[in-house]
Amino acid sequence: MLCTKYQDDLRWVIYQIYPRSFMDSNGDGIGDLQGIIQKLDYLKDLGINAIWLCPCYKSPNDDNGYDISDYRDIMDEFGTMADMEALIDALHARGMKLIMDLVPNHTSTSHRWFQESRKGKDNPYSDFYYWFDEKPNDWKSVFRGSAWEYDPVRGQYYLHSFAVSQADLNWDNPAVVKAMKEIVDFWIEKGVDGFRVDVIDMISKDLGAGKNSFGPRLHEFIHELFGRENGKKLFTVGECWVKDIDEMVRHCAAERGELSTLFQFDHIEKCGRYDKFTPKPDTLKTLRDHLLHWQRETEKYDLLHSLFTDNHDQPPMISRIANDREKRYESATCMAAMVYLLKGVPFIYQGQEIGRAAAHYDSIDCFNDIETINTYREFCETMPAEEALKRINFGSRDNARHPMEWDDSENGGFSTGKPWIALHTRYQEINVKNDLAADRSVYRFYRALLQLRRENDVFLDGDLQVLSSPDDPYMIFTRSLKGEKWAVICNFENEQPIALPFSCEKPALSNLNREGTDGLYAPYECAVAKVIARDCQ
Ligand code: ISL
Ligand code: CA
């Protein structure tokens, strides 16, 4: 019996799928919903009980589905609504859940709302977007260039925080709030179990005050979107670049009735890079310190935390702060123990479970992402193309979007046709088939870790105590619940022996099959062991 307010939510183990790149069922080179269905048993076997599906709504794909032209229909390349219903049924039949990606901040400019809105000031959609005769400020788009675009049809400027074809919705118009709420209802009706909400902090803005996020009506809008009397309990995770714990409290303290949890990006932004395209020499220590900081903070306010290092916008963390070559297996498994045995909901991004590392391309032609292409162009204005490409290889979102590597055959087992984007440059080495055949399998380690978590509530709700200090080249923590205590030891590049202040049973989980817990640890070795009862106080 768990004692926190969000006890049930701690049982979620969520696997993020980037549908375009997961599994192609019909050989057109593009992943699709039927492909996902084919792989559900693989995920179930891993110990996943929910998937977060990146957008699969109708879209012209300028930002791979984050530019939606119809929220109630499925992208042609991914299948049909019948396929989506089949996916929901297939998940539920396996006791698994579905979290859809909701993109409430903007639509594609080919959405009917925008097409109507641009016609002029006297139609029902006129105020669905932000329109101005002159640019009201000098906001920049996340994808480079001005955030304001002149539309010759309407003869005014509209706001696009992202691509030119992603127009920001004007949430101060009650009709927008109502429309988005109806979309949420539509998907609840279809049977989805929750939502990951794209840039939720941006839906309320204060143009006068120059604020493009965290505007004055944000919390009112979140309540409107997800508040439902006696409705189904939804799991909601907001993508939100919160800067401090107070902001997080305002979004997900239980009594606020807003979101289940948030993704905050402190560790993503600061580990192994100065900025998205500039590497910084770093180690697992930095990750440890950020993780522990947010553990402490979320614990203080009893918030449900999200545990993740990777997603579809970030090249694999392993390549930034650990060893993705000769110690790739050790690094991937050690990081899993560091992250997923803390308190919170694990989010595993596709490929993490086989220790996927960053790729490296010799030509800009291998990239597809709109942010990457725009950034490359901008870089080339101030630096040699070679340097620009180096930075792109480091920071491009495509480095997280290559087709899933199922085996070492021509198209990596992802498709019988030519994939929509280049295969990973290391796909013949890093793939599911090789990993499963290896003595040391990242997948099997993940599976064992998730099983341990599932079978021992202490990893869900147990108190966390940290034994390592900030200077130590390792991370040691314990989790305790009702007289039971477990130790998690994750070594970095340290070569000094480690001694624990208590005795443990033989490790239940160890990436190098360690027999005990004290002594010399190899680089990136980790062990998880139960503390012997008499030492538990
Ligand atoms: O990856 C980023 C740019 O380098 C982030 O700043 C990202 O744009 C931000 O986290 C918002 O991301 C989300 O919304 C975008 C979409 O492109 C991303 O894929 C999505 O995760 C616009 O919808
Ligand atoms: Ca396909």
Side-chain angles (χ1 to χ4, degrees), residues 16-21 30-33 36 52-59 61 63-71 73-78 84 98-104 106 166 187 196-198 312-313 401:
Q16 183 191 351
I17 291 183
Y18 198 68
R20 208 172 183 74
S21 296
I30 298 174
D32 46 51
L33 299 179
I36 297 172
W52 149 25
L53 204 53
C54 280
C56 45
Y57 315 94
K58 219 30 131 218
S59 164
N61 276 307
D63 187 19
N64 290 355
Y66 283 92
D67 49 324
I68 298 169
S69 55
D70 187 348
Y71 291 82
D73 205 350
I74 300 300
M75 192 186 297
D76 290 330
E77 295 158 328
F78 290 177
M84 178 52 91
L98 176 63
I99 292 169
M100 291 287 268
D101 207 318
L102 185 71
V103 188
H106 43 266
Q166 287 168 297
W187 286 102
R196 175 266 187 187
V197 196
D198 196 58
H312 64 294
D313 291 334
R401 299 177 177 183

Side-chain angles (χ1 to χ4, degrees), residues 396-411:
S396 171
R397 303 194 297 180
D398 284 337
N399 227 327
R401 299 177 177 183
H402 303 296
M404 181 71 184
E405 302 81 11
W406 296 102
D407 60 37
D408 58 3
S409 65
E410 194 184 345
N411 300 312

Side-chain angles (χ1 to χ4, degrees), residues 15-22 52 54 64 66 268 273 276-277 308-320 348-353 356-361 366-369 371-372 392-405 414 420-425:
Y15 187 90
Q16 183 191 351
I17 291 183
Y18 198 68
R20 208 172 183 74
S21 296
F22 190 61
W52 149 25
C54 280
N64 290 355
Y66 283 92
I268 304 291
R273 68 190 201 193
K276 188 146 192 175
F277 296 96
F308 77 103
T309 55
D310 288 43
N311 68 24
H312 64 294
D313 291 334
Q314 313 295 335
M317 179 70 93
I318 183 177
S319 301
R320 280 194 262 157
I348 297 164
Y349 182 59
Q350 66 186 43
Q352 260 187 275
E353 78 280 18
R356 180 197 259 183
H360 200 280
Y361 295 90
C366 295
F367 294 88
N368 166 282
D369 167 34
E371 181 198 37
T372 302
I392 291 303
N393 267 303
F394 174 72
S396 171
R397 303 194 297 180
D398 284 337
N399 227 327
R401 299 177 177 183
H402 303 296
M404 181 71 184
E405 302 81 11
F414 160 74
W420 69 278
I421 188 172
L423 288 178
H424 197 288
T425 42

Side-chain angles (χ1 to χ4, degrees), residues 284 318 321-339 352 354-356 426 429 435 438-443 445-446 449 489-493 510-513 521-527:
L284 287 180
I318 183 177
I321 55 169
N323 180 328
D324 72 1
R325 293 287 163 174
E326 67 280 6
K327 298 279 178 221
R328 186 177 60 80
Y329 161 80
E330 289 84 341
S331 298
T333 49
C334 182
M335 286 173 73
M338 283 174 69
V339 178
Q352 260 187 275
I354 54 164
R356 180 197 259 183
R426 294 172 67 185
E429 169 202 352
D435 187 79
D439 289 343
R440 294 175 172 179
S441 152
V442 182
Y443 180 95
F445 183 91
Y446 263 74
L449 183 151
I489 304 112
C490 299
N491 193 34
F492 304 161
E493 300 249 13
S510 154
N511 57 356
L512 296 180
N513 299 322
Y521 279 69
Y524 304 105
E525 184 178 353
C526 67

Side-chain angles (χ1 to χ4, degrees), residues 14 16 31 43 87 118 164 166 173 177 193 270 312 341 483:
I14 301 170
Q16 183 191 351
L43 297 178
L87 173 62
R118 78 192 321 186
V164 175
Q166 287 168 297
N173 176 356
V177 184
D193 306 283
K270 294 176 191 156
H312 64 294
L341 294 174

